[in-house]
Amino acid sequence: MSASREGSARGQALFALASVAFVVIALTWLDRAGPRAPASLAAGEAPSGAWICPHGGGADLSVALLLANPGEAAATVRLTQLGAEATAPPARYDVPGGTTLRVNVAPGARGDATAVEFFGGWIGAGWVSFTDAGAAAEPCAAEASQRWSLADGSTELGEESYVVVANPFAGPAVMDVVLYSADRPPVRHSEWTDLVVPAGQSVALHLNERLKGEPVVATTLEVSVGRVAAASLVVSDRTTVRSALGWTEPAAEAWFPTMKGSGQNELVLVSTASASIRFGATSLSEDQPRPAGGLTEQEHGPTAARAYAVPEEAGPTAVRLFTLEGALVSGALRVLGPRTDVGSTGGSVSASEAWVLFPASARIPADPGALLVNDGDVAVVASVELLPEEGGTPPPSVSITVPPHATAAVPPDLWATAPGSALVVRADGPIVALSAATSPGSRDAEAFALSMGVPLPLLP
Amino acid sequence: MTSPASTLASTGTATPSVLALLVVGARAAPWLRDCLLSLANQSYPRLGVLAVDDGADEDSRELLLRSLGPRRVLRNERPLGGVRAVRAALDRPMAKGADFILIVEPSASLDRDAVGRLVEAAVGIGVEDVGVVGAKIVDKDDPRTLHDIGRSSDRFGHPASALQPGEIDQGQFDRVLEVLCVSSAAMLIAREAWERVGVWDERLDRAHADLDLCWRIRVAGYRVVMTPLARVRVPGTAAGAPADRDGGPSRRYEEDRAAITAMLKNYGLLSLAWLVPTALLMGVIRIAYLSVARRFEEALDVVAAWWWNVAHLPGTVSRRRRVQKARRVRDRSLRRFMESAGVRSPRWFATAERILEEQRAIDEADEGEPIQRRLRDRTASLVGTHPVIVGTLLAIVVGAVAVRELVGLDVLAGGVLPAFPARAGDLIGELASAVRSTPLGGPLAPSPAVGALGALSFVAFGDPSTVQKAILLAGAPLAAILMYRAAVRLSVRPGPAVVVGAAYGLGALTLWSFSEGRIGLSIAIAVLPAAAERVEAAFAREEPPDDPQRFVAGMAVTLAVGVAAYPGFVLAIATLVMVRVCLGPSRARGLLLMSLGAIGAAVLLFPFVPTLLTDGGRALSSLVGTTEPDRLARLAIGPGPGTWPIAAFLPIGAALGLGLVRGPLRGPAARAALAAGAGLILSWLAAANYLPSALSNPPAYAALAAVSMAGLIGFGLTSFTGSLRLEAFGLRQVAGGLLAAVLGVGLFLQSVAVMAGTWGVGTPQERIPPAWTVVGGAADGPFRVLWLTGDLGGGLPPPAGDPQRRLEAGPATIRYALTDRGGVSVLDIGRPFSGPGPDHLELALREILAGTSRHGGALLAPFGIRFVVAERGALPAAAHDAFHAQVDVNLVPASGFVIFRNSVALPPAASLAVEPADLQILGAADPSTIAMWRRVPATTLERVPGGWDGADVDGTVFVSTEYDAGWELKGVGRRPEVAFGWATRFRAEGEPVRIRHGGSLPARIQVALLTILWLAALWATRKPVAR
């Protein structure tokens, strides 16, 4: 081969090598750079949502729904009553901005519930149910779930415990119900296995029918098809009532605020683990934190539900529950009121910088109160404002400083001016908020109820 | 019946009289003298000559008169044509007295004893009933070359000769042969025969009327023989098949016309009962084949031949009566003189014979050698000398095994194979409709490819599913064939071109496209080589081989076909053009030709152009691709047989080919290399979402890379094999050997993968996920399905088709598609999902994915969406949670799929029982109001061609199709109103529901114009007639 031909052949080979190298390097470099990250989505312009309020009902129970609109614009609400039969046509309400709307419902059956849909703006929802001598209050459930744990139940003499399960969706829900107590093995009844809650209906599971005479009966729901919302409902001596929203997931940490009680509290825990777990509890108050009820590294048996006494002062306090070694539990706090009414709350497993608190009493007169819990390391300043009922004039907001690892009560005179209002709390750090109330009942009874707040979305 | 011999015997005539009849027309002059001399020198004693001056020129006339005298020259005042002139001459007394008529062509020169030999064959060799005797016709200048030794025909009247072109006379036909017909260059006809059956059919071309005459004579019971002892010499063009006359009817037309006429006249009724339908069918097949091959003139010749026979049927029938009246033998007695097959394939048999001869020669040369050496030599010879045949045979074997399970299926499904409508008319109807019949409607025109599919469906007996299967199965082979042809045009040798075609057809991209049923992409992959070759030719240093108009027309048609099937095709072409603008020799000419071609393509696609441009060119984009460099490098965009690492043979072979190329192929190779690299990089950028939507089509760029890589292989192989014997062994030879090894192993293993693999398309039971029964089987009534998948990775499950749009939502980013319950439709081939309806759907999805709204069911209800479906594991967790959080959308248990059911879904068209609050929502456009939509009683309307029908309604009628003022509630002429900001509703007051669109006239006019334009373009690019 001539020299020129040889040279051109070499040149061609080099050109080929260079081309291949270029493509390989380019692709390698592009691969390292990776695909373009997709832009995030701005908030939409059609806010809507729903709450599910498994408040229960019955001939002896009255229920009021409380709907709070912390935004500036009016929002529309659609209420659908759920019961053991097909749903009635929904009722529609408009909630002006910055107001609270109270809607009285008349649930005829123990298992009744309400689905609250809101449009055009964020609405917070909670309920208050009351008998002649007692009251119960809870926030509505923001989400349906396929798993629920309800710690507070009791089937001792004089106590009738229910779990209200609401399925507001268009498809049936199928679930398994398991009951836990202190010493007995978990109870699974055939009629409560693959239990169907039809579409758009709500039922009450009467725990006394399955497990009698237990001071603590906790319930777990495992939903294999569909989603539900659930809350416990305990009627004592046919006069007093308490209610607690269930937990959708067990947790390793939770806060249970309380106030206006007698100081006799019980921390009710349920663990579905097959091995014992250890936990502790800390009492947070306006003073320094201290162990609650002597619960430090307390052992809790496997697949058991138990109540642990955590006596506290009557003022605003909170019990911080924590487990060791990452164990998971579900819990509730039972609080004896000033007289015989017992209140309960499911507490909160997370803190938030903004809350909406609902009044825990539907009667007038009432003595409402609210407390803020700051378990952080720095003090938190919170502003509290009232959302009056329509036509009312909101007083100026107040500012409260909550020291670290402490609680603080909202000034009682703020709420006393409009006890039917909701409160909006906005803080510069994560806090937990709860409302409580006492009100006179029949025959010198004093109704007492606790209601956790609902976290307020950052952009309502 | 008395034979000529017995007749002569009875009259006691030992030497029959022969009258040689010579018809001299305008073109006889050059050979007339020799003809007359040969007749004068005949040794036969009783020979008379009668000439007919049928328009002869002066010199010829003069010669005739001098040679024969005025008494033996009949002059026609005006030319009658050969047949009429003969008939007129035969009416003369001297003709009536002759025992035999010898028809002699003025160009023929008879050997001295030719006449005697002809007569001898007629009466003197003991053969009875000889009606016609023909001579051995040889070439005038080279008497060893045979022109005619008698002919047969096929069953349908087409003449057939046992002679090969240019066959040498080696005595192989030196015996008296009984044949079907002989040449009229020198044809001896017994008087009895011509008196019984007449002479030539004057309606037929003289050159093709011989067969008809001899056939009739045969039917009348006479024999037709050829005697090799009578030798006649004619010039090359005057014997056998006549050449086409410029401006006159083509030879093919005359042959077909004569064949059909002969068949109709000469066969018995029973024979005609099956022959005519068979001939018709074969005619249709021929027309189809010629049309597909763009040999339109020849196809028209076939049509014209049949039409002539239809128009002249009365004359044919009357002549038939005479033939059948004279019939003495059955048709089956003539079969031995006819070829058994109606399909003429002498060329194939000749080729096969040649191959066998070669193999025998090699075997003889290798006698005594080991078997391996002999096999190697024979194989090398076969492959080297006949690469196309070898490649074709191998391709047939591989292809047959590969598609064995698909061919017999009634219905194909799987991959992204689009569903074809049940009726062919629906395809045409879509093209002629002013509104889209697929989800959400709108005015976007469909691709003209829909019309082509409709036309093909009509051809396929009105069965669109046959067309679906045919196009799918033909895609890969067509790609290989067109790649081969393009390579040959680009100066690649035939052997390497076969390898190039095989590499392209067995490449990962082609196989993936076939496996997934990507009809549009498969057509684009097939057309791309032809387009790439034209782009190269446009920018080449030399002028394109065709004239500019034909070149531009061809480019326009090629571009239009590709874009109609797969709009992203234009991106591949644009990249090719950019490469040529950077590196091509003739930029100005190339740009001009390409621009004209693009304009032509736009004209051919004119109703479709607005669709292509709408929404920022969304139609050009595709949302499938890969960002994995190793998969991209071997063009494995998706899964399927042949996309495994072995598919890297194509890029590796291309790299080696690029290194081996030399000489004039360097330029094209450099451009191909640049195009291949650009294709890979652009494909990655498109898949990684760096390119604007209109430029973002990963498969189109991958196809560009594939065709460029295949081209590089061809250039390298051609350069290497061309210089193989000129150079000493060195690195170049090593590289060449490596290339051969890569290609050999790669093609072999790809073939194995193809034959053994499981395709993405197949039976619906096997390819549609079982969970689809939750959606498709359990639910009744019409509904739509919203298909979701994540941002990167694979596409949607069948029968969703490809994702239509992409919504960026951070970690919840999705790609999605909206289909009817039957899945993606071929009516949407090349058509984007654009318009107010899709824009509103995107708005609804934004609300859901942003977490702002929890009434996604209500937001999706106006679109008729009853189900939201995703393949399990494909949907991002954030998107899954967003849908799961909706209060009016419920998760349905299903394995393999994530299925959400919309509890407030609206049927795509229904009459609604609504309350005032619902009417308010229906009339709203903002999502915050629409979110309040609740389930209402609805009565579904029935989808009919052109609209919807339903029972009497007093209330609101809703149709989930884009608002268009052309919609009308027939009967009352009520105009539509806007629903949900984009859809359509009517107020009905007790009348039956008949919703139709009144604006289809412009679309129909467009279809007519489009048809005319395409016919004109195809005519402009027709293949010249092989004359």
Side-chain angles (χ1 to χ4, degrees), chain B residues 470-481:
Chain B
I471 291 181
L472 181 67
L473 296 179
L478 197 59
I481 291 168

Side-chain angles (χ1 to χ4, degrees), chain A residues 1 4-17 19-20 22-24 26-52 76-78 89-90 92 94 116-121 141-146 167-171 224-227 459, chain B residues 627-629 632-633 655-662 666 669-670 673 676-678 680-681 684-685 687-690 723 726-728 732 791-792 806-811 813 845-847 849-856 859 883-891 893 903 917 920-921 926-929 931-934:
Chain A
M1 187 162 43
S4 65
R5 194 186 279 179
E6 202 173 311
S8 71
R10 268 207 207 105
Q12 185 67 30
L14 281 171
F15 172 67
L17 275 171
S19 303
V20 171
F22 173 76
V23 172
V24 168
L27 286 178
T28 307
W29 180 78
L30 288 172
D31 186 45
R32 286 219 179 120
R36 182 176 65 83
S40 54
L41 203 52
E45 298 171 358
S48 76
W51 298 94
I52 311 168
T76 303
V77 167
R78 192 160 67 198
R92 184 171 153 168
D94 289 323
V116 178
E117 298 171 276
F118 57 88
F119 308 91
E143 303 279 348
S145 177
Q146 291 186 303
N167 175 19
F169 304 106
S224 56
V225 177
R227 303 164 282 171
L459 293 173
Chain B
T627 55
E628 296 175 46
L632 182 59
L656 290 169
L658 179 61
L660 288 171
V661 79
R662 60 162 50 162
R666 274 213 182 98
L680 288 176
I681 292 171
W684 191 95
L685 290 172
N689 302 310
Y690 283 105
S723 64
L726 303 177
E727 298 169 359
R732 185 178 167 77
D791 189 15
L792 301 171
R806 176 174 175 268
L807 175 56
E808 288 200 9
T813 298
L845 289 173
R846 284 179 178 277
E847 296 290 341
L849 294 177
T852 314
S853 177
R854 289 185 60 200
H855 289 83
L859 294 175
F883 274 90
H884 199 53
Q886 306 305 308
V887 298
D888 48 11
V889 168
N890 304 301
L891 193 62
S903 63
Q920 201 178 5
I921 300 170
D926 60 297
S928 59
T929 309
M932 292 167 51
W933 181 258
R934 63 183 184 94

Side-chain angles (χ1 to χ4, degrees), chain B residues 350-372:
Chain B
T351 305
E353 195 179 329
R354 207 162 46 243
I355 291 173
L356 285 171
E357 282 294 330
E358 290 165 6
Q359 295 292 304
R360 263 198 292 267
I362 291 169
D363 228 14
E364 284 167 10
D366 281 347
E367 198 167 336
E369 297 289 344
I371 187 74
Q372 295 94 323

Side-chain angles (χ1 to χ4, degrees), chain B residues 397-405 506 511 514-515 640-642 644 748-760 767:
Chain B
V397 170
V398 170
V401 175
V403 302
R404 65 195 180 283
E405 291 177 353
L506 287 172
L511 295 178
F514 168 75
S515 178
W644 56 349
F748 172 72
L749 290 177
Q750 287 292 89
S751 302
V752 170
V754 154
M755 290 190 288
T758 302
W759 303 107
R767 296 293 179 268

Side-chain angles (χ1 to χ4, degrees), chain B residues 83 86-87 103 187 199-202 206 209-210 213 216:
Chain B
V83 175
V86 166
R87 182 170 286 153
I103 304 296
M187 178 191 283
V199 290
W200 292 269
D201 190 334
E202 71 278 9
R206 173 64 195 282
D210 296 347
L213 172 63
R216 281 188 279 121

Side-chain angles (χ1 to χ4, degrees), chain A residues 78-439:
Chain A
R78 192 160 67 198
L79 302 183
T80 306
Q81 301 302 315
L82 308 173
E85 293 169 356
T87 57
R92 184 171 153 168
Y93 301 88
D94 289 323
V95 184
T99 65
T100 303
L101 175 69
R102 172 182 166 146
V103 178
N104 293 321
V105 296
R110 191 63 86 202
D112 284 359
T114 303
V116 178
E117 298 171 276
F118 57 88
F119 308 91
W122 187 88
I123 295 283
W127 81 80
V128 176
S129 56
F130 48 94
T131 59
D132 287 343
E138 275 294 87
C140 296
E143 303 279 348
S145 177
Q146 291 186 303
R147 215 181 150 181
W148 288 91
S149 290
L150 303 110
D152 183 25
S154 172
T155 58
E156 286 188 309
L157 187 63
E159 301 218 301
E160 301 291 326
S161 281
Y162 303 87
V163 169
V164 180
V165 183
N167 175 19
F169 304 106
V174 179
M175 60 189 175
D176 295 338
V177 182
V178 182
L179 304 182
Y180 297 85
S181 59
D183 300 309
R184 299 194 207 188
V187 175
R188 293 177 174 83
H189 198 278
S190 60
E191 287 184 11
W192 283 5
T193 301
D194 288 337
L195 176 67
V196 178
V197 181
Q201 293 188 17
S202 180
V203 299
L205 306 177
H206 192 192
L207 304 186
N208 296 58
E209 292 176 2
R210 305 293 175 219
L211 196 58
K212 267 186 177 331
E214 291 289 336
V216 176
V217 177
T219 309
T220 63
L221 307 177
E222 292 287 344
V223 186
S224 56
V225 177
R227 303 164 282 171
V228 298
S232 62
L233 176 67
V234 181
V235 179
S236 302
D237 299 323
R238 300 183 193 175
T239 55
T240 61
V241 64
R242 66 179 190 270
S243 187
L245 194 64
W247 287 19
T248 57
E249 291 289 342
E253 185 179 50
W255 293 267
F256 300 90
T258 178
M259 66 186 304
K260 294 189 177 297
S262 64
Q264 296 181 49
N265 308 328
E266 283 185 320
L267 181 64
V268 184
L269 297 183
V270 57
S271 167
T272 59
S274 54
S276 295
I277 59 137
R278 290 185 300 148
F279 73 95
T282 303
S283 175
L284 303 175
S285 65
E286 290 167 328
D287 295 325
Q288 290 294 319
R290 65 183 189 280
L295 296 173
T296 51
E297 296 195 23
Q298 174 72 34
E299 186 163 334
H300 180 93
T303 59
R306 276 201 173 86
Y308 301 87
V310 283
E312 296 289 340
E313 293 171 8
T317 60
V319 176
R320 175 179 166 260
L321 165 71
F322 59 93
T323 63
L324 303 177
E325 294 153 4
L328 301 174
V329 291
S330 304
L333 187 72
R334 292 176 187 163
V335 179
L336 178 62
R339 298 276 172 88
T340 58
D341 193 18
V342 177
S344 70
T345 176
S348 178
V349 299
S350 60
S352 176
E353 292 184 2
W355 292 85
V356 170
L357 293 171
F358 302 99
S361 171
R363 286 201 178 89
I364 295 171
D367 181 18
L371 81 151
L372 310 177
V373 181
N374 174 17
D375 201 19
D377 295 328
V378 296
V380 167
V381 177
S383 99
V384 183
E385 64 180 284
L386 219 60
L387 298 179
E389 292 180 86
E390 189 174 3
T393 307
S397 61
V398 298
S399 181
I400 302 169
T401 301
V402 189
H405 302 293
T407 63
V410 171
D413 48 356
L414 173 67
W415 217 342
T417 59
S421 308
L423 286 182
V424 176
V425 179
R426 292 191 173 91
D428 62 2
I431 56 172
V432 177
L434 171 121
S435 67
T438 58
S439 58

Side-chain angles (χ1 to χ4, degrees), chain B residues 524-594:
Chain B
I525 288 173
V527 173
L528 188 56
E533 181 269 323
R534 283 180 182 273
V535 171
E536 179 69 24
F539 284 86
R541 207 177 301 278
E542 303 80 23
E543 292 279 338
D546 293 328
D547 65 81
Q549 291 94 330
R550 189 180 157 80
F551 183 86
V552 168
M555 175 62 83
V557 168
T558 307
L559 288 179
V561 169
V563 173
Y566 193 74
F569 184 82
V570 77
L571 298 175
I573 298 300
T575 309
L576 278 174
V577 171
M578 293 296 295
V579 167
R580 267 69 184 174
V581 168
C582 295
L583 295 184
S586 304
R587 296 183 184 83
R589 186 213 324 131
L591 275 174
L592 176 65
L593 289 175
M594 289 307 305

